[in-house]
Amino acid sequence: MAYSLPPPPPPPPSLPLHNHFTRRSLLLLSTTTTTTTTLSLPSTPPPTPTVTDRVFMDFSLCPNNFLPDRANTLSPICSDSTLLGRVVLGLFGNLVPLTVSNFKSVCLGSNATSSSYKNTLVHKVFPGQYLLAGRQGRPDKGEVRPPRDLPRNTETVDAKAFALTHSRPGVVSLSLSENDDDDDVKLDPEYRNVEFLITTGPGPCPQLDSKNIVFGTVLEGLDVITAIASIPTYQPSERIRQFNDLAEFFGDGRAQNARNIWNRPLTTVYISDCGELKVTKPSLTPSLP
């Protein structure tokens, strides 16, 4: 007599795979993600700047960009210059007091010892972005020699000093990432960075944020900054840029020397005068352009 075997027991229910999502699990995942995003900590608002000091800078033009060596550094860059206009800068001494103090010291420095911004060049203009001034070096070449007693700026290593952004035209900042002082100047133990930049617009310059210390803004004379920004500059051809990149790759020091003339104004622009404007009562918020 034949007997039939009983059917095998059903297999145990299989566990869901790790990457298997049901409609319910996707809904729960979406809810969890939304809740996590909602509970994220708010970002810290930027500090409020206060204009504690005002300085002026007069900018002038020479008829060409040929600058012979000047034996007398007290004399103007050129004898037949044309005044472009005056720019008034408001400085944020409540946020970066040391940077502001050093900048004022060079504005008020002695022209007799060439420790002032007076008679120094605007040596670079990047169209639609910013201008550079205050390059250190030889006074007879229109470069700055800072005062010997200028304090070391410890704010350059303080994260709080980099809180403000280059969000509009007329922002003034200490040039750190864009600084083009010669390497032998920077290696001096007494080196103090006094190079600064002013954004020219028309838009913001986010590539400068968190790399340079914003310490002021243009209160008056933004049209003068715009006029400087419109001056044609030397722009190398693409072939020259490629040769320069190749020379730098092989360690040729002449590559950096060649780049020093890139973006240089084809008409000489310089700071013909500078000084302080006394503030009787600091403004609570700067009159931004």
Side-chain angles (χ1 to χ4, degrees), residues 46-287:
T48 302
T50 299
V51 173
T52 57
D53 305 88
R54 285 180 173 88
V55 298
F56 72 88
M57 285 187 169
D58 292 341
F59 290 89
S60 297
L61 287 175
C62 292
N64 53 50
N65 67 339
F66 175 71
L67 294 176
D69 293 347
R70 293 178 302 143
N72 182 11
T73 57
L74 300 181
S75 62
I77 292 286
C78 56
S79 58
D80 49 352
S81 62
T82 303
L83 180 66
L84 262 180
R86 171 165 291 191
V87 176
V88 177
L89 306 177
L91 310 180
F92 306 146
N94 67 316
L95 298 181
V96 282
L98 190 51
T99 302
V100 166
S101 175
N102 283 0
F103 182 76
K104 281 180 56 182
S105 294
V106 185
C107 279
L108 302 174
S110 170
N111 193 36
T113 57
S114 305
S115 59
S116 169
Y117 287 123
K118 184 176 180 179
N119 285 329
T120 61
L121 298 174
V122 174
H123 61 279
K124 293 284 182 72
V125 175
F126 295 83
Q129 299 182 66
Y130 57 92
L131 60 84
L132 277 175
R135 189 174 193 268
Q136 278 189 59
R138 294 172 49 184
D140 60 324
K141 293 286 189 182
E143 297 171 334
V144 182
R145 181 179 294 159
R148 292 185 176 274
D149 57 349
L150 201 67
R152 189 175 297 278
N153 191 348
T154 55
E155 290 169 350
T156 59
V157 293
D158 183 358
K160 295 179 181 179
F162 296 85
L164 296 181
T165 61
H166 302 75
S167 56
R168 67 190 74 206
V171 173
V172 187
S173 64
L174 182 66
S175 178
L176 298 175
S177 67
E178 312 307 310
N179 182 285
D180 60 354
D181 290 335
D182 288 339
D183 290 339
D184 57 342
V185 173
K186 293 179 180 179
L187 291 175
D188 188 332
E190 300 301 318
Y191 173 74
R192 303 289 187 268
N193 181 16
V194 296
E195 187 173 295
F196 66 95
L197 63 86
I198 302 178
T199 57
T200 60
C205 292
Q207 74 276 15
L208 302 176
D209 295 345
S210 303
K211 302 175 183 176
N212 305 275
I213 299 178
V214 174
F215 66 90
T217 186
V218 174
L219 298 178
E220 301 174 25
L222 190 58
D223 57 325
V224 177
I225 300 300
T226 304
I228 296 174
S230 66
I231 296 174
T233 59
Y234 172 70
Q235 298 296 327
S237 66
E238 185 60 30
R239 187 175 181 84
I240 291 178
R241 291 180 183 271
Q242 291 174 353
F243 275 123
N244 188 274
D245 291 342
L246 185 63
E248 184 180 31
F249 177 78
F250 284 108
D252 192 334
R254 293 173 295 181
Q256 178 60 46
N257 294 334
R259 285 198 298 271
N260 285 339
I261 66 171
W262 296 4
N263 296 101
R264 179 178 293 179
L266 297 181
T267 301
T268 298
V269 191
Y270 73 102
I271 302 169
S272 51
D273 198 7
C274 56
E276 184 179 13
L277 298 173
K278 293 295 183 180
V279 180
T280 56
K281 183 179 179 181
S283 40
L284 296 179
T285 54
S287 303

Side-chain angles (χ1 to χ4, degrees), residues 6-14:
S14 60

